[in-house]
Amino acid sequence: MIEKRKAAEACETMMEVRAGVDSIDRELSRLLGERFRFMEAAARIKPERNMVRDEARKAEVIANARANAAINGFPAEVAGDLWEVLVEASIAYELDVFDQR
């Protein structure tokens, strides 16, 4: 559920800014939880452990993140760095789930 929050441009106090950031962080956490459930699905579907790491797909995901960042108004370099960490964490999680099958 997306929370109603004041637009950044309309904020007049740090309390409003922090409330907006906290709201976004809750939303990001919910979305990351959903993303990691897809990693669980991938671990269930892939027939072999060596299929978990896919460098071509990793590059595609990071390139997509950089392009989306540019569209959404934040630095592509920051997106690339964030998604590098996110994808590596996702791979590690998927390997753990795969090993528990």
Side-chain angles (χ1 to χ4, degrees):
M1 177 170 118
I2 298 175
E3 298 178 34
K4 185 166 175 67
R5 63 182 158 263
K6 188 175 251 191
E9 299 79 14
C11 289
E12 297 177 356
T13 68
M14 283 308 300
M15 182 179 274
E16 292 170 335
V17 169
R18 289 176 179 146
V21 169
D22 291 346
S23 171
I24 289 169
D25 286 349
R26 285 187 294 273
E27 190 176 337
L28 286 170
S29 183
R30 181 189 63 75
L31 288 169
L32 287 169
E34 186 174 348
R35 188 184 197 286
F36 273 72
R37 285 189 290 284
F38 280 100
M39 298 303 94
E40 292 169 2
R44 175 177 43 82
I45 292 167
K46 291 178 182 173
E48 297 178 23
R49 189 179 195 277
N50 67 346
M51 298 176 81
V52 171
R53 179 171 289 281
D54 181 342
E55 291 299 328
R57 175 62 179 152
K58 176 183 171 182
E60 177 185 15
V61 169
I62 293 171
N64 289 342
R66 291 174 64 86
N68 287 329
I71 291 167
N72 289 300
F74 73 100
E77 314 80 56
V78 173
D81 292 345
L82 288 171
W83 261 262
E84 173 72 31
V85 172
L86 176 59
V87 171
E88 284 300 321
S90 298
I91 290 167
Y93 181 73
E94 188 180 334
L95 285 167
D96 287 343
V97 173
F98 188 94
D99 290 343
Q100 293 174 22
R101 304 191 317 182

